[in-house]
Amino acid sequence: MDKSQILAKFSSEPDRYYKVALFENEGFKRKSCSKCRRYFWTLDDSRAVCPDHLENSYSFIGDPPTKKRFDYTQAWKEVESFFVNNGHKSVSRYPVVCRWRDDLYFTIASIVDFQRVMGSKVVFEFPANPLVVPQTCLRFKDIENVGVTGRHFSSFCMIGQHSIPNSQGYWKDRCVELDFRMLTEKFGINKEEIVFVEDVWAGGGSFGSSLEYFVRGLELGNAVFTEFQGELENYSVLDQKIIDMGAGLERFAWITMGTPTAYDCCFGPITKHMIEKIGIDTDSDTISRYFRAIAKTLSESNDLSIARKNAALLAGIDSTKMDKMISPLEGIYLIADHLRTLVFAISDGALPSNVGGGYNLRMILRRTLATIDRFGWNFDLDDLIDLHIDYLKSTYHELEGTRNDVKTIIGIEKERYKESRIRMTNISNTLRTQNKKLSVDDLIRLYESDGITPDFLKETQIISEIPSTFYEKLSDLHQSEKAEKTIQLNLDGIPDTVLSYYKEDPHEFEAKVLKVLNGKYVVLDKTSFYPRGGGQEPDHGKIGNYDVMDVSKHGNVVVHETKGGAPQEGEVVRCKIDEARRYGITRHHTSTHVVNASARNTLGSWIWQHSAFKEQNYARLDITHHSNLTEEEITKIEDFANLSIRKDIPILINEFDRGDAEQKYGFRIYQGGVVPVKMVRIVNIDGLDVEACGGTHVRKTGELGLIKITKSERIQDGVVRLEFVSGEAAIKYTQSQDKKISQIVKSLGSSKEKVLESFEHVVRDGEDAKKRIKQIIKRTSESSAKSAISQAKNLGNVKLFSIIEEELDDEYHIAVGEQAVSLDKSLIYCALIVKNGAIRIVAFCGTDAVKTKKAGDLVRDVSKVLGGSGGGKDTFGQGGGKDILKIKDALVAAEQSILGK
RNA sequence: GGGCUGGUAGUUCAGCGGUAGAAUACCCGCCUUGCACGCGGGGGGUCUGGGGUUCAAAUCCCCACCAGUCCA
């Protein structure tokens, strides 16, 4: 839907869409910008342009329009107390890793906290109404701007003011009134300074009007009134209207402090710490002038380097000062920003990697490290992390708990970065020695496969210029589409299946057949058959006389797939589920929760379930972890899991309202991904693990008996797969392992106690023997060569030594043959070696003999007789064939070939 | 989630169907009384693993594993 069309429509009826009570009461005037025609509301009679076209924009830098000064932390306290005093509930921030939405990696706006996807629809669930939340949001779109523009962040705090207009919540009038009062009462901003601009918002099938509020050209917030759905020509009012007011906390702090950039007042003591450590000159007048200027030049040009140049010109800063003052400052801001983003993301369980959202995190960490390197600074990242967390923890106490984990992960990533720098240098050195001209394709391959940018190659003078077609060609490469296919069954009009596996769960029951599709898909009125889902494999068993092969859930209807026919529709059938299978799957499912918790407890807070699979005889669990697991780590996890079994912990299963569960247990409950239902089933292994899970579980952990991890592998960067068995399957597994060892013991002729020693012995013997053979060949090759010469047969100008070898191998004859022809230049050495039911030919010709016959030709002739082929150089040839019966003929053929017959 | 690249001596890599190589490190000797220098000699490899094609595979094809990288 075209936003400008909606705006045109809404602005044509301002009384209906934009005029709130506040405008009436305070006497706001509606004006149209003399430059861009946009409509805005103001109390200042002299104002003729919208905030985008203001001449003195960003004049708050060095001259804040507020009576009070609040830094980042204080600014939130002020905002929070204002809204709480006005009937709002203050809600803690949600994780920046957006676990409750499949379509987002990170939380990008405060409203996302309360959006839940149900099928194709987005619904809103508010833990309170109205509410306010300090939501940390991550955005990587404008990453180039961070540190440079003075106002862009990779993560920022969005003050979310949200309300549903009902008996508790409010609608437009009160919203705008509150925002206005917050600015004037709390921050002491002059009424005349505040401008509201008419705008619209549209997305996800709904839309509505919005009012952005500005002070001195800086957008502080945007109140969106989501009100309609459908098309502009034909729309209806939503049954769930929402106020989504989002304001940047960083900007609130900035406008009250009037610092040169928003960074100066939002990272607490960290920027000051860095500036002091490197000792640069920070003349605040010059800096203020510069950042006021760049706000202006950026609105004129999107190109960052041009905007920078123009800003320097406008502020009267020469290039030396840019290099000595502005550039290092930009670097410091970038480091502070990126590191804060990493603190939040890693605390919330995200890991830097080369896939998924982790890629963005690796990118920003490497940008940080590269910046430190570029300036040759000596910052301790751990110190900077401490400074961030110390400053943030009064608002976000949870960060304290992951302080060390954040340091661990960043430390590991830093090492990886160092290694990759070394790799890059190695590759570029190799390229330099090769001195080959690199094509654009070469450059693209180097960039995509090895991460070596053309800029780096230019810097190290491997190439002189970056080809103009490089970026063009690069972007062409990344156009791919994906198709998805699911089998659709027509289940219209079939009532929801009664799910008895969540209730009394009878393993034998009678049910009525409601529908049979395609002769094998059976729908019953009720069922105990557990369908495939959440990584749990389905139950098998019998419906009437038919075997059940698969069970799946489509909406609220359970479909059973039978083999060899199906019962009649309308028939009442006796059903029986395979109990052994069910119990095996159940134990493996509970084990998965136990293993997950064990991994988290032994490895670190970054461990989350990535995906899982459970069947009767084994289970696997993919967890998010930075490195391959060591044997010790696996043992630790196993020990922890089995200790939990011995504790015989009860497993409590209860239904909760989704919002209540999130508030009570946090987002750790979403290990298995998003739960698309209003009521969630919480599986609580008391004191160990709490998850929202629809699977079947045992009553106490003691029932699991034993958990044995059978395998671990890294399936992709940041994800480790654990395979394990529990219960009966675990016993069977250890038994079968033991049997294998017995067999090895038997064939080694050893005992179980000494099996390892015997094995090592055998391996060492083999290695020693091989070395010995090499030495023997070396020492005896000369005398063997001499004996070959003496046995050789005269054939005209040359001598021929030929042999059929059935014991020694080609390696031996290559060594001896080479010796022999170097001792006697007229010798031809030809060995036919029988090996694995085939024949290999090795032939040498001395430098004199070559005049009569070339080794390559000889081999070609002989191998033809053996039904094979071969070739080689003048002095040395190899070949072979498979026709072992012709081996004598081959000897004759060799003679004839030499004699030229 | 979609791609790409690589895996050969302790290390860094070359070789890209025909006898597994270089540099460096290591060991021994000489020169030089020390150091990172020079000379000579030596040890060190199931070419990641498994299949296939071929007379012949480090080399070509397929699969797995390990590592690195780019993009959405």
Side-chain angles (χ1 to χ4, degrees):
Chain A
M1 206 159 23
D2 189 355
K3 271 180 69 175
S4 58
Q5 284 179 4
I6 312 174
L7 181 58
K9 182 179 165 63
F10 285 0
S11 280
S12 69
E13 293 177 74
D15 285 351
R16 179 165 169 202
Y17 293 104
Y18 293 110
K19 190 169 187 182
V20 292
L22 176 90
F23 294 170
E24 182 77 48
N25 300 342
E26 290 284 335
F28 271 81
K29 292 223 170 64
R30 182 171 186 259
K31 296 192 174 189
S32 176
C33 174
S34 64
K35 294 213 168 139
C36 69
R37 300 282 131 218
R38 282 281 284 281
Y39 289 98
F40 60 93
W41 297 75
T42 179
L43 288 169
D44 180 356
D45 285 341
S46 62
R47 192 183 289 273
V49 291
C50 76
D52 279 345
H53 295 98
L54 212 57
E55 267 309 306
N56 68 337
S57 64
Y58 289 76
S59 61
F60 60 88
I61 295 178
D63 173 28
T66 61
K67 297 197 183 73
K68 296 164 190 160
R69 305 279 171 269
F70 301 123
D71 77 346
Y72 182 74
T73 305
Q74 291 164 319
W76 168 246
K77 300 279 172 237
E78 296 299 324
V79 171
E80 184 184 35
S81 73
F82 174 81
F83 280 108
V84 169
N85 289 338
N86 283 286
H88 292 66
K89 171 144 199 239
S90 174
V91 175
S92 297
R93 78 168 174 103
Y94 281 44
V96 297
V97 181
C98 191
R99 310 242 176 223
W100 56 96
R101 289 266 301 261
D102 273 338
D103 52 339
L104 290 174
Y105 281 115
F106 298 114
T107 307
I108 54 168
S110 61
I111 190 67
V112 170
D113 295 353
F114 316 111
Q115 292 173 329
R116 297 293 176 274
V117 179
M118 308 267 278
S120 58
K121 259 181 78 180
V122 173
V123 300
F124 292 89
E125 287 178 8
F126 282 35
N129 183 29
L131 63 80
V132 62
V133 58
Q135 181 56 43
T136 310
C137 299
L138 266 51
R139 290 186 186 176
F140 298 101
K141 273 258 181 297
D142 294 328
I143 201 91
E144 298 296 320
N145 291 332
V146 174
V148 178
T149 63
R151 63 176 195 271
H152 282 93
F153 293 82
S154 60
S155 63
F156 62 99
C157 173
M158 186 183 278
I159 302 164
Q161 172 199 0
H162 301 289
S163 164
I164 299 172
N166 58 17
S167 54
Q168 296 127 42
Y170 51 78
W171 192 235
K172 292 182 192 180
D173 286 343
R174 174 133 174 93
C175 174
V176 179
E177 180 216 324
L178 285 169
D179 295 340
F180 181 77
R181 277 177 47 209
M182 173 175 67
L183 296 176
T184 51
E185 291 170 17
K186 270 287 170 186
F187 293 91
I189 295 172
N190 203 332
K191 293 177 182 182
E192 282 75 28
E193 297 260 22
I194 302 166
V195 178
F196 290 91
V197 176
E198 294 182 3
D199 202 358
V200 295
W201 183 89
S206 52
F207 61 98
S209 59
S210 78
L211 282 166
E212 297 174 317
Y213 51 95
F214 288 76
V215 173
R216 295 203 192 168
L218 183 69
E219 182 190 345
L220 288 175
N222 185 11
V224 175
F225 309 105
T226 312
E227 195 174 1
F228 308 110
Q229 62 184 350
E231 297 299 314
L232 191 58
E233 300 78 40
N234 174 29
Y235 62 85
S236 57
V237 176
L238 283 165
D239 41 2
Q240 197 182 26
K241 290 199 256 180
I242 293 284
I243 287 184
D244 170 18
M245 199 299 290
L249 180 63
E250 280 79 2
R251 294 179 173 200
F252 273 66
W254 190 18
I255 204 152
T256 73
M257 300 292 276
T259 49
T261 70
Y263 315 124
D264 297 299
C265 54
C266 293
F267 297 128
I270 195 166
T271 48
K272 198 172 157 216
H273 167 89
M274 285 193 274
I275 289 168
E276 277 170 6
K277 186 143 191 192
I278 59 170
I280 51 167
D281 171 28
T282 52
D283 164 31
S284 72
D285 264 2
T286 314
I287 298 169
S288 297
R289 220 168 44 241
Y290 173 80
F291 281 100
R292 270 199 299 263
I294 198 159
K296 179 161 279 173
T297 57
L298 263 175
S299 67
E300 289 154 4
S301 165
N302 283 326
D303 188 314
L304 215 54
S305 61
I306 293 173
R308 271 179 102 248
K309 259 183 212 151
N310 291 342
L313 219 63
L314 203 63
I317 297 176
D318 61 20
S319 63
T320 323
K321 223 166 196 173
M322 279 297 282
D323 291 346
K324 287 249 162 82
M325 190 189 278
I326 303 297
S327 295
L329 266 179
E330 288 170 342
I332 284 172
Y333 296 147
L334 179 145
I335 294 165
D337 167 89
H338 286 10
L339 222 43
R340 185 175 75 173
T341 300
L342 287 162
V343 166
F344 276 110
I346 296 170
S347 288
D348 289 353
L351 286 176
S353 79
N354 60 12
V355 285
Y359 179 68
N360 292 309
L361 301 180
R362 181 166 282 171
M363 262 359 279
I364 62 165
L365 180 59
R366 293 195 173 184
R367 273 166 60 92
T368 307
L369 296 168
T371 303
I372 293 176
D373 280 356
R374 186 155 50 88
F375 288 103
W377 289 334
N378 181 26
F379 293 138
D380 184 39
L381 289 184
D382 284 358
D383 287 350
L384 299 182
I385 293 166
D386 279 332
L387 285 171
H388 264 317
I389 293 181
D390 289 343
Y391 181 64
L392 291 168
K393 70 179 176 191
S394 68
T395 311
Y396 305 113
H397 343 271
E398 67 280 7
L399 298 178
E400 186 58 59
T402 46
R403 189 189 286 262
N404 289 329
D405 285 349
V406 171
K407 288 182 189 172
T408 305
I409 298 295
I410 288 185
I412 289 169
E413 274 298 304
K414 191 180 158 187
E415 285 310 306
R416 296 212 167 126
Y417 169 75
K418 272 196 202 157
E419 277 165 33
S420 98
R421 289 291 299 192
I422 292 170
R423 254 173 57 83
M424 278 169 74
T425 323
N426 282 342
I427 293 175
S428 88
N429 285 342
T430 308
L431 288 173
R432 196 193 311 281
T433 54
Q434 281 175 347
N435 206 11
K436 203 176 77 184
K437 193 161 163 43
L438 295 170
S439 66
V440 179
D441 285 340
D442 289 335
L443 293 179
I444 286 183
R445 190 181 48 73
L446 279 167
Y447 176 56
E448 294 213 301
S449 313
D450 297 304
I452 297 174
T453 59
D455 302 78
F456 179 82
L457 293 172
K458 197 180 163 190
E459 227 172 87
T460 51
Q461 292 167 12
I462 307 289
I463 55 171
S464 53
E465 274 310 314
I466 299 168
S468 54
T469 51
F470 177 80
Y471 288 102
E472 198 183 314
K473 223 167 171 178
L474 193 63
S475 62
D476 286 349
L477 281 173
H478 298 288
Q479 322 261 349
S480 65
E481 283 175 36
K482 56 177 174 183
E484 219 174 277
K485 65 169 189 183
T486 44
I487 299 161
Q488 288 291 328
L489 289 172
N490 182 14
L491 297 167
D492 292 346
I494 299 178
D496 294 355
T497 311
V498 175
L499 310 175
S500 29
Y501 50 81
Y502 281 153
K503 296 170 195 160
E504 61 278 14
D505 193 22
H507 292 179
E508 280 192 69
F509 60 96
E510 280 188 354
K512 190 175 171 194
V513 179
L514 297 182
K515 188 93 186 170
V516 177
L517 290 147
N518 302 358
K520 58 177 179 178
Y521 297 110
V522 180
V523 180
L524 305 171
D525 61 341
K526 61 171 188 250
T527 190
S528 276
F529 280 93
Y530 187 88
R532 183 188 305 282
Q536 176 168 340
E537 286 293 279
D539 281 333
H540 288 176
K542 277 190 184 295
I543 291 180
N545 291 320
Y546 304 103
D547 287 330
V548 176
M549 304 309 296
D550 195 9
V551 187
S552 53
K553 205 170 161 203
H554 302 252
N556 291 321
V557 178
V558 175
V559 177
H560 310 74
E561 184 184 341
T562 53
K563 194 173 84 173
Q568 296 296 310
E569 287 182 11
E571 197 182 332
V572 172
V573 283
R574 181 122 201 103
C575 307
K576 186 174 187 319
I577 66 168
D578 178 341
E579 284 187 308
R581 179 182 162 87
R582 160 70 82 83
Y583 195 44
I585 293 172
T586 299
R587 289 213 275 208
H588 280 115
H589 198 144
T590 307
S591 300
T592 305
H593 290 219
V594 173
V595 171
N596 190 17
S598 305
R600 189 167 61 243
N601 275 293
T602 47
L603 299 173
S605 65
W606 54 81
I607 300 291
W608 284 73
Q609 175 178 313
H610 181 263
S611 59
F613 178 84
K614 312 95 182 173
E615 55 123 286
Q616 184 179 355
N617 298 315
Y618 106 116
R620 64 166 190 256
L621 169 71
D622 297 344
I623 52 173
T624 54
H625 185 56
H626 48 73
S627 309
N628 236 331
L629 294 182
T630 62
E631 255 175 66
E632 290 76 42
E633 284 168 334
I634 293 170
T635 308
K636 262 188 175 174
I637 296 169
E638 215 172 69
D639 287 347
F640 191 101
N642 284 301
L643 184 67
S644 307
I645 290 175
R646 288 197 295 278
K647 283 184 187 159
D648 204 16
I649 306 166
I651 291 148
L652 315 164
I653 299 177
N654 286 298
E655 293 235 324
F656 284 86
D657 175 81
R658 180 164 53 196
D660 294 346
E662 286 169 4
Q663 294 294 315
K664 187 170 159 107
Y665 297 112
F667 286 83
R668 281 269 175 211
I669 60 171
Y670 293 135
Q671 293 285 336
V674 184
V675 181
V677 285
K678 184 94 184 74
M679 292 300 286
V680 292
R681 188 164 170 268
I682 294 295
V683 176
N684 183 358
I685 307 180
D686 205 11
L688 186 70
D689 184 77
V690 184
E691 290 182 35
C693 177
T696 58
H697 288 278
V698 300
R699 287 190 183 78
K700 291 176 110 183
T701 55
E703 278 187 62
L704 303 176
L706 172 69
I707 289 178
K708 177 87 195 83
I709 296 172
T710 56
K711 192 181 173 190
S712 107
E713 59 176 326
R714 206 155 88 121
I715 57 167
Q716 60 167 242
D717 197 6
V719 182
V720 172
R721 170 164 297 171
L722 290 170
E723 295 187 5
F724 54 93
V725 285
S726 74
E728 214 177 310
I731 303 293
K732 282 206 174 119
Y733 175 82
T734 54
Q735 284 167 344
S736 105
Q737 290 298 99
D738 202 60
K739 205 179 260 172
K740 280 180 199 160
I741 291 172
S742 299
Q743 273 162 6
I744 293 170
V745 166
K746 217 183 218 171
S747 76
L748 282 175
S750 175
S751 67
K752 258 190 180 166
E753 291 71 33
K754 290 190 173 170
V755 64
L756 253 182
E757 285 164 54
S758 320
F759 177 71
E760 275 166 14
H761 206 89
V762 167
V763 170
R764 210 174 324 116
D765 278 0
E767 280 169 3
D768 287 352
K770 225 162 49 192
K771 277 185 194 165
R772 249 191 330 268
I773 289 167
K774 252 187 167 170
Q775 286 298 326
I776 291 169
I777 291 175
K778 211 168 170 185
R779 290 203 200 164
T780 59
S781 63
E782 194 175 331
S783 65
S784 304
K786 279 179 183 159
S787 107
I789 292 166
S790 69
Q791 288 170 44
K793 183 169 157 190
N794 282 310
L795 287 178
N797 295 332
V798 300
K799 283 190 263 180
L800 171 68
F801 171 80
S802 60
I803 183 173
I804 292 177
E805 177 66 74
E806 291 186 324
E807 262 133 32
L808 297 169
D809 62 1
D810 40 353
E811 213 174 314
Y812 170 81
H813 285 285
I814 286 169
V816 174
E818 196 173 15
Q819 275 268 354
V821 296
S822 75
L823 291 170
D824 186 336
K825 311 264 188 264
S826 65
L827 182 75
I828 294 179
Y829 185 102
C830 179
L832 303 177
I833 303 137
V834 181
K835 194 177 172 185
N836 303 334
I839 301 151
R840 274 194 55 67
I841 306 161
V842 171
F844 284 94
C845 290
T847 44
D848 289 341
V850 162
K851 291 166 199 155
T852 307
K853 194 74 198 176
K854 290 171 179 166
D857 296 338
L858 173 64
V859 167
R860 204 165 295 126
D861 289 344
V862 178
S863 40
K864 204 176 282 170
V865 176
L866 295 166
S869 66
K873 298 179 293 186
D874 291 0
T875 55
F876 177 63
Q878 291 177 85
K882 286 177 171 166
D883 203 345
I884 204 155
L885 296 172
K886 297 245 174 82
I887 195 157
K888 293 254 165 63
D889 302 344
L891 275 184
V892 178
E895 268 180 43
Q896 289 183 333
S897 167
I898 291 162
L899 294 169
K901 285 180 189 168

